[in-house]
Amino acid sequence: MSDWLIYRGAGAPHDGIEHLPPPPPWRDFDGGPLVAPPVPLDPASERRLGVRHREASHHRPGDTERELVNAALYLRRPLLVTGAPGSGKSTLAHAVAYELGLGRVLSWPVVSRSTLRDGLYDYDAIGRLQDLQIARAATAAGPGGDAGAGAADEPGSDPADEPGGGIGRYIRLGPLGTALLPAARPRVLLVDELDKSDIDLPNDLLNVLEEGEFRIPELERLAGSAPEVPVLSDDGTRVTVRDGRVRCHAFPFIVLTSNGERDFPAPLLRRCIHLHIPAPDKERLAGMVRAHFGEGAAERYEAVIDRFLDREPGDVRAVDQLFNAIHLTQKAGWTDGDEEETRRRLTVELMRPLDRTR
């Protein structure tokens, strides 16, 4: 294996990220001070990689996939990953996070209504106004007022006593905003199914991806009186935003996935490394089956795998269908006389091509 590879695709954790060279001068960011290390991988990664991924990771990338992932790491560029449903586009982000020890994968599932601000942060202005009104009403009631007055008189209970009038309680960074916090190691961000977005979102992303920073106007206006405001991150932890600006230190490893439902503008493509993942072959499917169902499962269900691969040109099937068929035939009970026929019939129905309604 080439010595320059940071991500090796071996499915086992290692310290390769410590040997990542400095970025190109045009991709060098200076955000700080550094935030605390991210929280560990969560159950979402366990589900993606398989319950047995530590012994038999199913995500075994080919040479091109491994090299382009490393190109994105070296160049500090997003990785635009295209391919058919079930080809492993989303799993790639979890595999990189697991192997390189980069913590929980930040996930932003894109829908047609998604906006750039959804990914960056949310500000609950109405909630803040309501809480301020309640706190002030309780304070005005005094000790002889209602039961809530005593709590309001406790130190720090009034949001107005906090930096910026307590505004930080009502700001939560989104997955993209959290990924851009200044960290010693790159965070992994999965922007899933970008092709389902509104036509403006890919263009709106350009400046953030290029500059590695964004501003929160609600905090910028308070920078003179409250230069440091604690807010909630997508990890559920408190982080401090200074002068209303978030700027990365290590540019995150961003995976943008697309099922090919639309084309993207040239300016976005210019800022990304493009990786196309082909439909998984038998060897890769066998690895996926082992990761989710244990050693020996690929051999035991070889006929099901072969049936999954046996399709007419243009038929669309997702790997989830294969997993569903194996799980059901594994768990359902039959007598010896009807087991094979039931297995065959269920497999045919569960693996019906997605582009066919009948």
Side-chain angles (χ1 to χ4, degrees):
M1 186 176 295
S2 178
D3 292 338
W4 76 280
L5 296 179
I6 303 298
Y7 168 67
R8 304 166 190 164
H14 57 81
D15 64 351
I17 196 65
E18 300 292 343
H19 308 292
L20 182 65
W26 58 91
R27 299 296 293 165
D28 193 7
F29 303 97
D30 59 357
L34 301 183
V35 298
V39 297
L41 285 178
D42 62 4
S45 290
E46 297 283 347
R47 291 193 297 271
R48 292 281 190 177
L49 298 174
V51 294
R52 299 168 180 84
H53 69 86
R54 290 181 177 84
E55 294 81 21
S57 173
H58 76 253
H59 197 87
R60 301 291 187 183
D63 290 343
T64 299
E65 182 176 336
R66 189 165 55 239
E67 289 168 358
L68 290 179
V69 167
N70 281 278
L73 287 168
Y74 272 75
L75 298 174
R76 277 64 169 183
R77 289 292 185 183
L79 187 68
L80 175 61
V81 185
T82 58
S87 57
K89 301 185 298 296
S90 301
T91 301
L92 176 59
H94 296 270
V96 173
Y98 173 68
E99 181 174 318
L100 299 183
L102 299 179
R104 168 181 170 264
V105 175
L106 299 160
S107 181
W108 182 15
V110 174
V111 297
S112 60
R113 301 177 304 279
S114 297
T115 65
L116 176 60
R117 177 160 159 170
D118 293 332
L120 294 177
Y121 75 98
D122 176 67
Y123 172 45
D124 185 5
I126 294 177
R128 183 188 182 205
L129 177 60
Q130 291 174 337
D131 287 352
L132 284 172
Q133 291 173 337
I134 292 171
R136 287 167 181 166
T139 301
D146 57 32
D153 289 337
E154 295 179 2
S157 64
D158 189 341
D161 294 336
E162 298 180 12
I167 191 174
R169 291 189 185 188
Y170 308 95
I171 292 178
R172 182 181 183 122
L173 300 181
L176 175 56
T178 301
L180 292 172
L181 287 168
R185 292 181 170 189
R187 291 299 303 268
V188 176
L189 170 66
L190 172 62
V191 183
D192 211 11
E193 299 190 333
L194 182 61
D195 52 332
K196 290 186 175 171
S197 71
D198 177 84
I199 193 171
D200 292 327
L201 182 57
N203 282 315
D204 293 342
L205 283 168
L206 297 179
N207 187 65
V208 173
L209 297 180
E210 188 65 29
E211 301 301 328
E213 69 176 20
F214 69 98
R215 299 179 183 276
I216 303 176
E218 293 85 355
L219 298 185
E220 277 192 303
R221 290 192 290 267
L222 302 173
S225 59
E228 297 186 353
V229 177
V231 302
L232 196 64
S233 74
D234 189 72
D235 291 322
T237 58
R238 288 281 174 183
V239 294
T240 298
V241 174
R242 290 168 173 81
D243 298 323
R245 185 182 79 162
V246 174
R247 181 173 174 83
C248 71
H249 181 82
F251 190 79
F253 177 71
I254 301 176
V255 175
L256 311 167
T257 74
S258 169
N259 292 326
E261 294 184 8
R262 59 176 290 192
D263 294 327
F264 295 115
L268 177 68
L269 298 177
R270 179 173 65 83
R271 288 167 170 82
C272 297
I273 305 296
H274 182 204
L275 166 65
H276 181 76
I277 298 181
D281 57 14
K282 185 173 182 177
E283 180 181 357
R284 189 160 182 172
L285 287 173
M288 293 178 179
V289 170
R290 281 193 293 271
H292 286 278
F293 298 98
E295 288 298 325
E299 293 73 26
R300 190 161 58 252
Y301 297 104
E302 183 176 10
V304 183
I305 296 174
D306 288 339
R307 192 169 291 120
F308 177 84
L309 292 169
D310 184 17
R311 67 187 77 173
E312 297 294 328
D315 283 352
V316 178
R317 284 180 180 151
V319 177
D320 306 65
Q321 294 174 276
L322 173 63
F323 293 164
N324 291 340
I326 291 177
H327 179 80
L328 190 57
T329 56
Q330 183 185 61
K331 296 300 181 183
W334 302 285
T335 62
D336 290 342
D338 64 5
E339 176 176 353
E340 187 56 37
E341 175 58 26
T342 303
R343 186 191 303 272
R344 187 199 65 79
R345 189 174 64 253
L346 281 172
T347 298
V348 169
E349 292 299 323
L350 290 173
M351 295 196 304
R352 187 183 299 276
L354 299 177
D355 52 346
R356 292 187 190 176
T357 57
R358 297 183 63 180

